[in-house]
Amino acid sequence: MTPSAPPAAGLHPPGTDAGPATASSPADTGPIAWADPARGAAFAGWLAARSQAHGVRPETLRAASADASFRRYFRIDAPGLRGGTAIVMDAPPALEDSRPFVQVAGLLDAAGVRVPRILDWDAAQGFMLLEDLGRRTVLETIAPDDAAGALPYYLRAIESLVAWQRASRPGELPAYDAPLLHRELQLFPDWYLARHRGVAVEGDIAATLASTFDTLVAHNLTAAPVYVHRDFMPRNLMVDDADPAGPLGVLDFQDAVYGPITYDIASLTRDAFLSWEEDMVLEVTVRYWEQARKAGLPVDPDFGAFYRAVEWMGLQRHLKVAGIFARITLRDGKPKYLADTPRFIAYIRSTAGRYRELLPLLRLVDKVEKIETSTGFAFGRV
Protein backbone atom coordinates (compact mmCIF):
# COMPACT_ATOMS: atom_id res chain seq x y z
CA MET A 1 0.00 0.00 0.00
CA THR A 2 1.35 3.34 -0.96
CA PRO A 3 0.67 6.18 1.46
CA SER A 4 0.71 8.90 -1.19
CA ALA A 5 -1.98 7.54 -3.49
CA PRO A 6 -5.20 5.54 -3.25
CA PRO A 7 -4.23 2.01 -2.26
CA ALA A 8 -5.03 -1.07 -4.25
CA ALA A 9 -3.01 -0.79 -7.39
CA GLY A 10 -3.88 -4.40 -8.00
CA LEU A 11 -7.13 -6.14 -8.69
CA HIS A 12 -8.62 -6.56 -5.25
CA PRO A 13 -10.09 -3.84 -3.04
CA PRO A 14 -7.71 -1.91 -0.82
CA GLY A 15 -6.29 -2.25 2.57
CA THR A 16 -4.23 -4.98 1.01
CA ASP A 17 -3.51 -3.71 -2.44
CA ALA A 18 -4.54 -7.15 -3.53
CA GLY A 19 -4.40 -8.70 -6.96
CA PRO A 20 -6.76 -10.27 -9.49
CA ALA A 21 -10.27 -10.86 -8.29
CA THR A 22 -11.91 -14.21 -8.33
CA ALA A 23 -14.99 -15.49 -10.07
CA SER A 24 -16.97 -15.07 -6.89
CA SER A 25 -16.48 -11.31 -6.99
CA PRO A 26 -19.78 -9.45 -7.32
CA ALA A 27 -18.15 -7.44 -10.11
CA ASP A 28 -17.79 -10.55 -12.28
CA THR A 29 -20.89 -9.83 -14.35
CA GLY A 30 -22.64 -6.81 -15.81
CA PRO A 31 -22.04 -4.28 -18.59
CA ILE A 32 -18.75 -2.44 -18.95
CA ALA A 33 -19.27 1.29 -18.43
CA TRP A 34 -16.87 4.00 -19.60
CA ALA A 35 -16.89 7.49 -18.12
CA ASP A 36 -14.85 8.58 -21.13
CA PRO A 37 -16.44 7.25 -24.37
CA ALA A 38 -13.26 8.01 -26.31
CA ARG A 39 -11.23 5.80 -24.00
CA GLY A 40 -13.86 3.09 -24.28
CA ALA A 41 -13.58 3.22 -28.07
CA ALA A 42 -9.78 3.08 -27.90
CA PHE A 43 -9.97 0.09 -25.57
CA ALA A 44 -12.38 -1.73 -27.90
CA GLY A 45 -10.08 -1.16 -30.85
CA TRP A 46 -7.03 -2.32 -28.94
CA LEU A 47 -8.80 -5.44 -27.66
CA ALA A 48 -10.08 -6.35 -31.11
CA ALA A 49 -6.51 -6.36 -32.39
CA ARG A 50 -5.53 -8.74 -29.58
CA SER A 51 -8.07 -11.28 -30.73
CA GLN A 52 -5.83 -12.39 -33.58
CA ALA A 53 -2.54 -12.25 -31.68
CA HIS A 54 -3.73 -14.06 -28.54
CA GLY A 55 -7.05 -15.65 -29.41
CA VAL A 56 -9.07 -13.60 -26.93
CA ARG A 57 -12.80 -13.21 -27.58
CA PRO A 58 -13.84 -9.55 -27.04
CA GLU A 59 -17.54 -10.43 -26.85
CA THR A 60 -16.89 -12.38 -23.61
CA LEU A 61 -15.37 -9.43 -21.74
CA ARG A 62 -16.75 -9.03 -18.19
CA ALA A 63 -15.66 -7.22 -15.06
CA ALA A 64 -13.23 -9.20 -12.92
CA SER A 65 -13.27 -7.06 -9.79
CA ALA A 66 -14.05 -3.79 -8.16
CA ASP A 67 -11.00 -1.73 -7.24
CA ALA A 68 -10.15 1.28 -5.12
CA SER A 69 -7.57 2.68 -7.51
CA PHE A 70 -8.05 4.07 -10.98
CA ARG A 71 -7.29 0.67 -12.50
CA ARG A 72 -9.98 -1.69 -13.71
CA TYR A 73 -9.69 -5.38 -14.48
CA PHE A 74 -11.70 -7.60 -16.78
CA ARG A 75 -11.76 -11.30 -17.49
CA ILE A 76 -12.00 -12.49 -21.08
CA ASP A 77 -12.26 -15.90 -22.71
CA ALA A 78 -9.07 -16.99 -24.46
CA PRO A 79 -9.44 -20.64 -25.55
CA GLY A 80 -5.83 -20.90 -26.63
CA LEU A 81 -4.37 -19.87 -23.29
CA ARG A 82 -3.83 -21.97 -20.18
CA GLY A 83 -7.05 -22.03 -18.21
CA GLY A 84 -9.02 -20.65 -21.14
CA THR A 85 -9.20 -17.06 -19.88
CA ALA A 86 -7.04 -13.96 -19.55
CA ILE A 87 -7.13 -10.74 -17.53
CA VAL A 88 -7.33 -7.32 -19.19
CA MET A 89 -6.19 -4.23 -17.29
CA ASP A 90 -7.36 -0.68 -17.97
CA ALA A 91 -4.96 1.75 -16.27
CA PRO A 92 -5.16 5.35 -17.55
CA PRO A 93 -1.50 6.47 -17.83
CA ALA A 94 -2.28 9.93 -16.44
CA LEU A 95 -3.58 8.35 -13.23
CA GLU A 96 -1.73 5.04 -12.92
CA ASP A 97 1.87 4.19 -13.74
CA SER A 98 2.09 0.55 -14.84
CA ARG A 99 5.87 0.51 -15.18
CA PRO A 100 6.49 -0.65 -11.58
CA PHE A 101 4.09 -3.56 -12.17
CA VAL A 102 6.07 -4.61 -15.25
CA GLN A 103 9.42 -4.21 -13.51
CA VAL A 104 8.49 -6.14 -10.37
CA ALA A 105 6.77 -8.87 -12.39
CA GLY A 106 10.10 -9.41 -14.14
CA LEU A 107 12.00 -9.57 -10.84
CA LEU A 108 9.57 -12.08 -9.37
CA ASP A 109 9.60 -14.22 -12.48
CA ALA A 110 13.40 -14.22 -12.53
CA ALA A 111 13.31 -15.37 -8.89
CA GLY A 112 11.17 -18.37 -9.87
CA VAL A 113 7.97 -17.01 -8.32
CA ARG A 114 4.74 -17.61 -10.22
CA VAL A 115 3.30 -14.30 -11.42
CA PRO A 116 0.97 -13.45 -14.30
CA ARG A 117 2.80 -13.27 -17.61
CA ILE A 118 2.36 -9.99 -19.44
CA LEU A 119 1.01 -11.08 -22.81
CA ASP A 120 0.58 -7.62 -24.30
CA TRP A 121 1.05 -4.04 -23.07
CA ASP A 122 0.17 -0.75 -24.68
CA ALA A 123 2.11 1.59 -22.39
CA ALA A 124 0.93 4.74 -24.15
CA GLN A 125 -2.76 3.93 -23.67
CA GLY A 126 -2.51 1.98 -20.43
CA PHE A 127 -4.02 -1.32 -21.62
CA MET A 128 -2.52 -4.66 -20.64
CA LEU A 129 -3.33 -8.32 -21.31
CA LEU A 130 -2.26 -10.68 -18.54
CA GLU A 131 -2.22 -14.38 -17.83
CA ASP A 132 -5.10 -15.37 -15.56
CA LEU A 133 -3.68 -17.12 -12.51
CA GLY A 134 -7.04 -18.54 -11.45
CA ARG A 135 -10.24 -17.73 -9.65
CA ARG A 136 -9.44 -18.77 -6.08
CA THR A 137 -7.30 -16.88 -3.62
CA VAL A 138 -5.77 -18.67 -0.67
CA LEU A 139 -8.02 -16.54 1.53
CA GLU A 140 -11.08 -18.02 -0.18
CA THR A 141 -9.66 -21.54 -0.08
CA ILE A 142 -8.78 -21.88 3.59
CA ALA A 143 -11.20 -21.92 6.51
CA PRO A 144 -10.62 -19.29 9.22
CA ASP A 145 -11.26 -21.86 11.96
CA ASP A 146 -9.01 -24.58 10.51
CA ALA A 147 -5.37 -23.76 11.19
CA ALA A 148 -4.25 -27.32 10.40
CA GLY A 149 -5.91 -27.18 7.00
CA ALA A 150 -4.49 -23.73 6.29
CA LEU A 151 -0.91 -24.50 7.30
CA PRO A 152 0.08 -26.27 4.03
CA TYR A 153 -0.90 -23.16 2.07
CA TYR A 154 1.20 -21.00 4.35
CA LEU A 155 4.17 -23.33 3.88
CA ARG A 156 3.83 -22.98 0.11
CA ALA A 157 3.62 -19.22 0.56
CA ILE A 158 6.85 -19.33 2.55
CA GLU A 159 8.59 -21.13 -0.32
CA SER A 160 7.65 -18.32 -2.69
CA LEU A 161 8.64 -15.64 -0.17
CA VAL A 162 12.08 -17.15 0.43
CA ALA A 163 12.69 -17.47 -3.32
CA TRP A 164 11.73 -13.80 -3.78
CA GLN A 165 13.98 -12.64 -0.96
CA ARG A 166 16.95 -14.73 -2.12
CA ALA A 167 16.91 -12.84 -5.42
CA SER A 168 17.27 -9.46 -3.66
CA ARG A 169 19.71 -6.91 -5.03
CA PRO A 170 20.16 -3.32 -3.86
CA GLY A 171 19.34 -0.59 -6.32
CA GLU A 172 16.52 -2.39 -8.12
CA LEU A 173 13.57 -1.15 -6.03
CA PRO A 174 12.77 2.00 -4.04
CA ALA A 175 14.18 2.03 -0.53
CA TYR A 176 11.83 1.31 2.35
CA ASP A 177 13.65 3.94 4.36
CA ALA A 178 12.91 6.11 7.38
CA PRO A 179 11.08 8.88 5.47
CA LEU A 180 8.74 6.37 3.82
CA LEU A 181 8.12 4.49 7.07
CA HIS A 182 7.30 7.77 8.82
CA ARG A 183 4.94 8.84 6.02
CA GLU A 184 3.10 5.56 6.39
CA LEU A 185 2.77 5.92 10.15
CA GLN A 186 1.45 9.44 9.76
CA LEU A 187 -1.67 7.99 8.14
CA PHE A 188 -2.78 6.80 11.57
CA PRO A 189 -3.00 10.22 13.28
CA ASP A 190 -4.03 12.04 10.10
CA TRP A 191 -6.84 9.76 9.03
CA TYR A 192 -7.77 7.33 11.79
CA LEU A 193 -7.44 9.59 14.81
CA ALA A 194 -8.15 13.07 13.44
CA ARG A 195 -10.56 12.37 10.59
CA HIS A 196 -12.29 9.18 11.73
CA ARG A 197 -12.25 9.50 15.53
CA GLY A 198 -12.27 13.29 15.72
CA VAL A 199 -9.23 13.38 18.01
CA ALA A 200 -7.19 16.57 18.15
CA VAL A 201 -3.65 15.31 17.53
CA GLU A 202 -1.76 17.87 19.59
CA GLY A 203 -0.01 18.26 22.93
CA ASP A 204 0.61 14.99 24.79
CA ILE A 205 -1.05 12.92 22.07
CA ALA A 206 1.20 14.34 19.37
CA ALA A 207 4.27 13.92 21.60
CA THR A 208 3.40 10.30 22.41
CA LEU A 209 2.93 9.44 18.74
CA ALA A 210 6.11 11.22 17.66
CA SER A 211 8.20 9.42 20.27
CA THR A 212 6.59 6.05 19.56
CA PHE A 213 6.98 6.43 15.81
CA ASP A 214 10.66 7.38 16.14
CA THR A 215 11.27 4.30 18.29
CA LEU A 216 9.32 2.05 15.96
CA VAL A 217 11.06 3.19 12.77
CA ALA A 218 14.53 3.02 14.31
CA HIS A 219 13.83 -0.50 15.56
CA ASN A 220 12.39 -1.72 12.28
CA LEU A 221 15.28 -0.42 10.23
CA THR A 222 17.70 -2.61 12.16
CA ALA A 223 16.42 -5.56 10.12
CA ALA A 224 18.49 -6.44 7.06
CA PRO A 225 17.07 -5.22 3.72
CA VAL A 226 15.64 -7.52 1.05
CA TYR A 227 12.94 -7.32 -1.60
CA VAL A 228 9.62 -6.55 0.14
CA HIS A 229 6.32 -7.38 -1.60
CA ARG A 230 4.45 -5.16 0.88
CA ASP A 231 1.15 -7.04 0.80
CA PHE A 232 2.21 -10.67 0.94
CA MET A 233 -0.97 -12.18 2.31
CA PRO A 234 -3.58 -14.89 1.48
CA ARG A 235 -5.76 -12.42 -0.42
CA ASN A 236 -2.91 -11.87 -2.89
CA LEU A 237 -1.94 -15.52 -3.31
CA MET A 238 -3.72 -17.63 -5.92
CA VAL A 239 -4.43 -21.35 -6.09
CA ASP A 240 -3.93 -22.79 -9.57
CA ASP A 241 -7.17 -24.49 -10.64
CA ALA A 242 -5.25 -26.73 -13.01
CA ASP A 243 -2.65 -27.66 -10.39
CA PRO A 244 -4.10 -27.04 -6.89
CA ALA A 245 -1.04 -28.49 -5.17
CA GLY A 246 1.40 -26.51 -7.30
CA PRO A 247 3.16 -23.22 -6.59
CA LEU A 248 0.93 -20.38 -5.50
CA GLY A 249 0.49 -17.42 -7.79
CA VAL A 250 1.59 -14.07 -6.39
CA LEU A 251 -0.28 -10.87 -7.22
CA ASP A 252 -0.43 -7.18 -6.39
CA PHE A 253 3.29 -6.71 -6.20
CA GLN A 254 3.70 -3.37 -7.95
CA ASP A 255 4.40 -1.45 -4.72
CA ALA A 256 7.44 -3.61 -3.90
CA VAL A 257 10.38 -1.94 -2.16
CA TYR A 258 13.79 -2.82 -0.74
CA GLY A 259 13.55 -2.91 3.03
CA PRO A 260 13.26 -4.87 6.29
CA ILE A 261 13.21 -8.64 5.92
CA THR A 262 10.63 -8.79 8.72
CA TYR A 263 7.88 -7.03 6.76
CA ASP A 264 6.45 -9.72 4.47
CA ILE A 265 6.33 -12.44 7.10
CA ALA A 266 4.55 -9.99 9.40
CA SER A 267 2.07 -9.28 6.60
CA LEU A 268 1.52 -12.99 5.96
CA THR A 269 0.88 -13.97 9.56
CA ARG A 270 -1.07 -10.87 10.66
CA ASP A 271 -3.61 -10.61 7.90
CA ALA A 272 -5.82 -7.65 7.07
CA PHE A 273 -8.86 -9.91 6.71
CA LEU A 274 -8.04 -13.02 8.76
CA SER A 275 -6.73 -13.49 12.29
CA TRP A 276 -5.07 -16.60 13.73
CA GLU A 277 -4.34 -17.60 17.29
CA GLU A 278 -0.75 -17.00 18.32
CA ASP A 279 0.22 -20.67 18.14
CA MET A 280 -0.51 -20.60 14.39
CA VAL A 281 1.34 -17.31 13.98
CA LEU A 282 4.34 -18.77 15.81
CA GLU A 283 4.23 -21.96 13.76
CA VAL A 284 4.27 -20.13 10.44
CA THR A 285 6.91 -17.65 11.60
CA VAL A 286 9.28 -20.31 12.86
CA ARG A 287 8.83 -22.34 9.66
CA TYR A 288 9.73 -19.26 7.66
CA TRP A 289 12.70 -18.49 9.93
CA GLU A 290 14.04 -22.03 9.50
CA GLN A 291 13.76 -21.89 5.71
CA ALA A 292 15.23 -18.40 5.57
CA ARG A 293 18.25 -19.47 7.62
CA LYS A 294 18.74 -22.53 5.43
CA ALA A 295 18.61 -20.30 2.36
CA GLY A 296 21.24 -17.98 3.81
CA LEU A 297 18.90 -15.04 4.25
CA PRO A 298 19.89 -12.39 6.84
CA VAL A 299 17.41 -13.22 9.61
CA ASP A 300 18.43 -12.90 13.25
CA PRO A 301 19.98 -16.23 14.35
CA ASP A 302 18.00 -16.03 17.60
CA PHE A 303 14.35 -16.83 16.93
CA GLY A 304 13.12 -14.91 19.98
CA ALA A 305 14.82 -11.74 18.77
CA PHE A 306 13.52 -12.34 15.25
CA TYR A 307 9.94 -12.83 16.45
CA ARG A 308 10.14 -9.61 18.44
CA ALA A 309 11.33 -7.78 15.33
CA VAL A 310 8.44 -9.24 13.31
CA GLU A 311 5.96 -8.06 15.94
CA TRP A 312 7.34 -4.52 15.81
CA MET A 313 7.26 -4.53 12.02
CA GLY A 314 3.69 -5.78 12.17
CA LEU A 315 2.77 -2.87 14.42
CA GLN A 316 4.11 -0.47 11.79
CA ARG A 317 1.84 -2.11 9.21
CA HIS A 318 -1.24 -2.17 11.46
CA LEU A 319 -1.00 1.54 12.24
CA LYS A 320 -0.61 2.31 8.55
CA VAL A 321 -3.53 0.14 7.47
CA ALA A 322 -5.88 1.56 10.11
CA GLY A 323 -5.14 4.97 8.63
CA ILE A 324 -5.59 3.74 5.08
CA PHE A 325 -8.94 2.12 5.86
CA ALA A 326 -10.16 5.38 7.36
CA ARG A 327 -8.90 7.30 4.34
CA ILE A 328 -10.61 4.98 1.89
CA THR A 329 -13.87 5.46 3.76
CA LEU A 330 -13.72 9.22 4.25
CA ARG A 331 -11.98 10.33 1.09
CA ASP A 332 -12.90 7.65 -1.41
CA GLY A 333 -16.43 6.83 -0.20
CA LYS A 334 -15.84 3.11 0.40
CA PRO A 335 -17.09 2.53 3.97
CA LYS A 336 -16.91 -1.27 4.01
CA TYR A 337 -13.19 -1.27 4.81
CA LEU A 338 -13.68 0.27 8.23
CA ALA A 339 -15.51 -2.94 9.18
CA ASP A 340 -12.07 -4.57 9.47
CA THR A 341 -10.61 -1.79 11.60
CA PRO A 342 -11.30 -3.60 14.91
CA ARG A 343 -8.94 -6.34 13.72
CA PHE A 344 -6.13 -3.81 13.37
CA ILE A 345 -6.87 -2.12 16.66
CA ALA A 346 -6.66 -5.55 18.28
CA TYR A 347 -3.31 -6.18 16.58
CA ILE A 348 -2.03 -2.78 17.73
CA ARG A 349 -3.15 -3.31 21.32
CA SER A 350 -1.75 -6.84 21.46
CA THR A 351 1.74 -5.80 20.37
CA ALA A 352 1.82 -2.52 22.28
CA GLY A 353 0.79 -4.37 25.43
CA ARG A 354 3.78 -6.71 25.24
CA TYR A 355 6.57 -4.15 25.33
CA ARG A 356 7.39 -1.52 27.93
CA GLU A 357 8.48 1.00 25.28
CA LEU A 358 5.09 0.81 23.60
CA LEU A 359 2.86 1.23 26.66
CA PRO A 360 2.21 4.93 25.97
CA LEU A 361 0.77 3.95 22.59
CA LEU A 362 -1.43 1.31 24.23
CA ARG A 363 -2.79 3.85 26.72
CA LEU A 364 -3.48 6.33 23.91
CA VAL A 365 -5.32 3.75 21.79
CA ASP A 366 -7.32 2.51 24.78
CA LYS A 367 -8.40 6.05 25.56
CA VAL A 368 -9.47 6.69 21.96
CA GLU A 369 -11.30 3.36 21.73
CA LYS A 370 -12.78 3.76 25.25
CA ILE A 371 -11.29 0.47 26.42
CA GLU A 372 -10.81 -0.02 30.15
CA THR A 373 -7.87 -2.18 31.20
CA SER A 374 -7.28 -3.81 34.54
CA THR A 375 -3.53 -3.42 34.51
CA GLY A 376 -1.22 -0.66 33.43
CA PHE A 377 2.13 -2.33 32.94
CA ALA A 378 3.87 -4.93 30.78
CA PHE A 379 7.29 -6.48 30.66
CA GLY A 380 9.32 -6.02 27.50
CA ARG A 381 10.33 -9.20 25.75
CA VAL A 382 13.93 -10.00 24.95
Side-chain angles (χ1 to χ4, degrees), residues 16-34:
T16 63
D17 287 352
T22 67
S24 61
S25 168
D28 204 32
T29 59
I32 307 302
W34 292 89

Side-chain angles (χ1 to χ4, degrees), residues 55-70:
V56 298
R57 297 173 55 194
E59 72 276 9
T60 67
L61 189 72
R62 62 271 193 192
S65 78
D67 197 84
S69 73
F70 296 104

Side-chain angles (χ1 to χ4, degrees), residues 126-145:
F127 303 138
M128 189 180 293
L129 184 67
L130 297 162
E131 178 186 10
D132 190 348
L133 293 190
R135 297 169 178 254
R136 281 192 301 140
T137 66
V138 169
L139 182 63
E140 292 170 316
T141 303
I142 60 179
D145 57 352

